[in-house]
Amino acid sequence: MLLLLMACEPVSIDVPSPEDTHTETSAPDDLWGASVYEPFRLLEVDVQLDPDDWEVARNQSRNILDLLAGEDCLAEPFESPYTWFDARVTLDGQDFDEVRVRKKGLLGSVEPGRPSLKLRLDKTQTDAHFEDVTRFTLNNNRQDASRLKTCMGYEILARSGVAAPRCSLAHVTVNGEDLGLYSNVEPIAAPLLARNFGGDGQNDLFEVTLSDFRPDWVGSFQDKTGDSDRAILQEVTEALELDDDDFLVRIDELVNVEQFMEFWAMEVMLGHWDGYNGNTNNTWVYVADDGRLNFIPWGIDAILVGEYPFGENRPASVVAASALGSRFYSIASSREQYQATLQRLLDEVWDEDALQDHLDGLVDVGGPLARDDNPAYGDVLGFMEDFVASRKDILEAELAIDPTWDEPLRANPCLQDVGTFEVAFSTTWGSYGTLPTWSSGGGELTLVLGGQDYPLTHLTSLIGEYDVGQTVLLVGGTMEDGGHVALYVVGPTTAFDEPGVKAADWDELNSYILADFDGDLANWQTWAWIGGDLNLTESSTVQGTPVTGSGTFTVWGG
């Protein structure tokens, strides 16, 4: 069967407009700088805005099909759907009027219940600041049940000397609603850039959001200043086409290679699979005063877990799915430089006792809120502790054998029309549980991919709430080899209050094909994104009442 998707878990990508990031000028001198980012501080953030504005803001999102459908989806940067709203904000008891607030995120971190937020104290009052900070990035850490990984990761990066944001914890409420524990992450702006690279921090700056130095990808680098010169991005892309000797000479003119090696080694040390070298994502690149690119990690809420964070059958000590990483690792001298850098930073940074002490400090500050926020908190904290205790030994054991990397570059994420999925279903409200029993409801499924029919039998239909105010509809069938495929539609429960045609195209409702290739109903994964209309002929959200309907969906795959 066709392989349709590049990953099971969508990733979080934030693409603000250029005015959001680049003009703060004061830069602290010490490691953690302003007290706002003291690592064991819990910042109390209370936001008040018009309830109608809040409903609009929290429900704004991107349409994945608008972003990735079409073979040229990376020809230009992704646009932001988020708008600013007026608010009043209290920070540790200090009140600010005329603050601007908006949502942030793309897929993995986007949720209406507790959205990630940006705050601008100086949007309308240029002299407004809180302890010298004028703008705040509050990340919900949706992919991290501990809510502590982001700040833990940035502490480790700070100890390495690799340019990275500062981070503290924050307790966020909006209109009296407790949203729980967030990470207060320093924006990638002039204070950070000047502190790490010198100068005034006002040079060309780009964000990597599914971006790489490849002809079909280079257009998706997001200009963060509004007038950054993109020529250097094309020059790096062209340098990658040179033979090895010429490449090494030319790339040193364009990229701070020593800084890149350290950045790369720290991505690997942290298990940052969703960064530049693992997923061409969650990174910023800055042109320092010497005219060369430097790399800054971002979006690190899925780190510090597992012996093999880059895949079960892949090395733990290297990930090179990016154009730069892959090329460097293919050249013996560059591979040796990377490995020596990783070993040096392990020796300098990875002190298990010191790191565990820091994690314990974060737990003392944020643990009570995180435990209340997520029942998986304890398990994830245990995984983090295991990672801290074992990571150095795992990496050093691999470095001793000079591991190979023979994986391809990260696949192009652009989606193409590869088939259709037609469904008809009959079920009752409340039939959906934590896992499908494959014994409820009924219906019909017709799956056509690449012009070939895939017969499905033993059909089931289930519907019900999986969270307060959020509903899932699952219509599944069994394949000839015993595996399972299912239509999976999620969205607000209000969409199912009454019959009618519902747009399941990532505006009102999100729709996927899920697959369980093992056949045991326990290992579901996102297999394809789909879009189409869901026609509810009977629908009610009263327990036990009939829900029937049909739909025809386009299947989008890579």
Side-chain angles (χ1 to χ4, degrees), residues 394-462:
I394 291 171
L395 295 182
E396 288 186 333
E398 275 200 3
L399 287 174
I401 62 172
D402 186 17
T404 60
W405 177 269
D406 53 11
E407 300 293 332
L409 295 179
R410 191 247 195 264
N412 190 309
C414 297
L415 303 175
Q416 301 178 48
D417 180 345
V418 297
T420 59
F421 199 28
E422 297 183 2
V423 304
F425 57 90
S426 175
T427 186
T428 57
W429 183 263
S431 55
Y432 180 81
T434 56
L435 284 175
T437 61
W438 235 246
S439 61
S440 301
E444 298 179 4
L445 287 175
T446 303
L447 177 62
V448 180
L449 298 175
Q452 180 178 350
D453 290 341
Y454 290 88
L456 298 168
T457 57
H458 303 295
L459 302 175
T460 189
S461 301
L462 307 162

Side-chain angles (χ1 to χ4, degrees), residues 229-242:
D229 186 350
R230 303 182 68 90
I232 192 170
L233 306 176
Q234 185 60 39
E235 289 171 336
V236 173
T237 302
E238 293 170 357
L240 285 159
E241 301 299 320
L242 301 173

Side-chain angles (χ1 to χ4, degrees), residues 48-237:
Q48 298 287 331
L49 71 164
D50 182 277
D52 292 337
D53 287 348
W54 176 231
E55 284 305 303
V56 173
R58 72 195 302 176
N59 285 293
Q60 288 180 330
S61 64
R62 290 184 174 87
N63 184 317
I64 187 62
L65 299 183
D66 288 345
L67 288 177
L68 297 182
E71 60 184 15
D72 61 348
C73 74
L74 301 179
E76 57 187 27
F78 301 128
E79 295 183 0
S80 171
Y82 304 125
T83 51
W84 292 98
F85 295 88
D86 294 325
R88 290 178 291 108
V89 172
T90 302
L91 300 171
D92 274 357
Q94 185 174 343
D95 296 329
F96 294 87
D97 296 322
E98 299 183 47
V99 176
R100 303 284 274 168
V101 61
R102 73 165 178 84
K103 188 177 180 179
K104 65 178 290 288
L106 180 63
L107 295 177
S109 69
V110 171
E111 60 171 302
R114 49 185 311 272
S116 295
L117 299 171
K118 282 183 174 287
L119 306 179
R120 285 284 302 269
L121 307 185
D122 64 344
K123 192 75 173 176
T124 59
Q125 302 180 85
T126 57
D127 60 345
H129 61 85
F130 176 74
E131 299 179 16
D132 296 325
V133 176
T134 63
R135 53 193 79 176
F136 292 81
T137 298
L138 302 170
N139 286 343
N140 63 7
N141 301 308
R142 187 186 182 200
Q143 298 184 95
D144 169 25
S146 79
R147 312 299 191 215
L148 304 175
K149 289 183 179 182
T150 295
C151 285
M152 184 66 191
Y154 284 132
E155 165 67 15
I156 298 171
L157 285 159
R159 295 178 184 217
S160 76
V162 169
R166 298 166 294 170
C167 182
S168 64
L169 301 174
H171 178 210
V172 178
T173 59
V174 178
N175 288 353
E177 180 182 359
D178 190 341
L179 302 188
L181 189 66
Y182 279 58
S183 293
N184 170 34
V185 179
E186 180 183 17
I188 308 295
L192 182 153
L193 300 171
R195 184 173 71 248
N196 287 280
F197 304 113
D200 62 5
Q202 300 286 345
N203 297 344
D204 293 347
L205 178 68
F206 303 92
E207 187 173 5
V208 175
T209 52
L210 299 178
S211 311
D212 205 2
F213 301 99
R214 300 184 237 172
D216 293 340
W217 294 56
V218 71
S220 65
F221 281 88
Q222 175 83 21
D223 171 14
K224 306 307 294 187
T225 69
D227 60 356
S228 294
D229 186 350
R230 303 182 68 90
I232 192 170
L233 306 176
Q234 185 60 39
E235 289 171 336
V236 173
T237 302

Side-chain angles (χ1 to χ4, degrees), residues 240-258:
L240 285 159
E241 301 299 320
L242 301 173
D243 63 44
D244 287 351
D245 290 341
D246 291 339
F247 164 75
L248 291 176
V249 172
R250 181 59 174 148
I251 205 66
D252 191 55
E253 298 170 346
L254 299 170
V255 172
N256 184 338
V257 174
E258 180 179 357

Side-chain angles (χ1 to χ4, degrees), residues 460-478:
T460 189
S461 301
L462 307 162
I463 191 170
E465 286 198 332
Y466 68 92
D467 199 357
V468 177
Q470 296 293 309
T471 286
V472 59
L473 167 67
L474 184 148
V475 184
T478 303

Side-chain angles (χ1 to χ4, degrees), residues 427-431 463 493 496-497 539-547:
T427 186
T428 57
W429 183 263
S431 55
I463 191 170
T493 299
F496 298 89
D497 282 343
S539 191
S540 169
T541 55
V542 176
Q543 184 73 22
T545 57
V547 180

